[in-house]
Amino acid sequence: MALKDLAGDDFYIGGAATNWQLDSDEQVRQTLVEEFNLLAPQNEFKIKSVMRGRDDFNYDRADKIVDFARNNSLALRGGNLMWRLEIPHWVAALSTESTRSVLEDYITETVKRYEDSVEVWDVASEMINASGGLVKTHWSQNLGSDFLLDAFRFARQANPYARLFYSDYGWHNESKQRAFLQLVEELDSAGVGIDGVAIQMHHNLQGTLRLLWLEPFLKQLKGLGLEVHFSEVTLWADHRLPWELVKEVQAQAYRRLLSLALKCDVKCFCTWGVSDKYVWRNKENRPFLFDAKFQKKPAYFAVEDVLRE
């Protein structure tokens, strides 16, 4: 059975891809459709991809990947509507008033356009630093302390039925946890609300051990009624280590991480890629479930075993 069949209707098992990969590589398309029930577009919804200038929207790339998902019965995770990086140069040059107007137009137009296709949006990503403060970006420095509240409000107004998430990494840091919980309170108090948290997991195999310490925090999130997704999973090892050893350790890391997800009622487990042929960062050594030739690795069979249990 494929992973998606083992996952059932209540759990997303997904992979991330770009339009370029889908256009140019039949094996990416085939593997996504055969094995996964969710697709995470890596760049196609971001402001840099859809806005070329003020009032200049181009959704060709986003439309194409949405059509692919729809035609192949894949759910979609949309994002990131607001990221700390890749802010278009023309946005960075705007005044506070104009920046807020552009952000509202972009979020409103994008979320409304795909209201029948995208149920989950990462509204904001990587905006809380390790000390629990706000990351210094054009958004935070130009829009003030309420910029996250504004972004979630724009998305909620655009589609009241969408599930709105905050996405970040480094959740083992208690200062970040406290800052996020404060954000949840502020969003609730403002009548905007937040539906979930996306936990990014770009880790080497040693760092994976820290992720297992998240269980109390995951249970706390569930107690608050928040849905949790493991949204960007890449588990990799140093290039200098022998692969025969690494592949077995990697399999155990995937096994333990997915087991943690199911134990804590996490609803989505999405690798930030499909195959080792396309690696997000050069330092990430063969991080996925399928190798560069799209053959199943020990990590795949570990995930399969957990889903069967």
Side-chain angles (χ1 to χ4, degrees), residues 80-180:
N80 299 307
L81 295 175
M82 176 189 279
W83 189 30
R84 64 184 177 89
L85 300 176
E86 294 189 11
I87 299 171
H89 64 87
W90 60 270
V91 173
L94 296 175
S95 66
T96 296
E97 182 178 351
S98 295
T99 297
R100 182 172 285 105
S101 178
V102 165
L103 182 64
E104 180 175 10
D105 291 348
Y106 156 66
I107 291 178
T108 301
E109 184 75 16
T110 303
V111 173
K112 279 188 174 181
R113 185 180 185 89
Y114 301 113
E115 62 183 353
D116 295 327
S117 303
V118 181
E119 297 180 359
V120 174
W121 287 100
D122 287 340
V123 176
S125 177
E126 301 174 11
M127 294 295 177
I128 301 173
N129 64 32
S131 300
L134 294 175
V135 174
K136 291 183 178 180
T137 70
H138 177 71
W139 303 120
S140 62
Q141 293 185 304
N142 201 358
L143 297 181
S145 59
D146 289 338
F147 77 103
L148 288 172
L149 182 61
D150 288 339
F152 275 89
R153 181 183 291 111
F154 300 152
R156 185 71 73 195
Q157 291 172 344
N159 182 3
Y161 303 103
R163 305 203 302 281
L164 307 183
F165 279 57
Y166 175 79
S167 172
D168 216 326
Y169 61 90
W171 289 103
H172 56 279
N173 186 302
E174 293 185 359
S175 295
K176 178 165 287 191
Q177 293 180 17
R178 287 193 295 270
F180 171 71

Side-chain angles (χ1 to χ4, degrees), residues 5 36 51 55 59 91 96 101 109 122 157-158 170 177 203 219 230 240-241 277-278 286 294 303:
D5 298 319
F36 299 114
M51 288 193 77
D55 300 319
Y59 286 101
V91 173
T96 296
S101 178
E109 184 75 16
D122 287 340
Q157 291 172 344
Q177 293 180 17
H203 283 272
K219 291 180 176 179
F230 287 180
R240 296 168 293 182
L241 298 176
K277 183 177 180 180
Y278 303 106
R286 294 184 268 195
F294 292 85
V303 167

Side-chain angles (χ1 to χ4, degrees), residues 5 62 68 194 212:
D5 298 319
F68 174 83
I194 180 173
L212 303 178

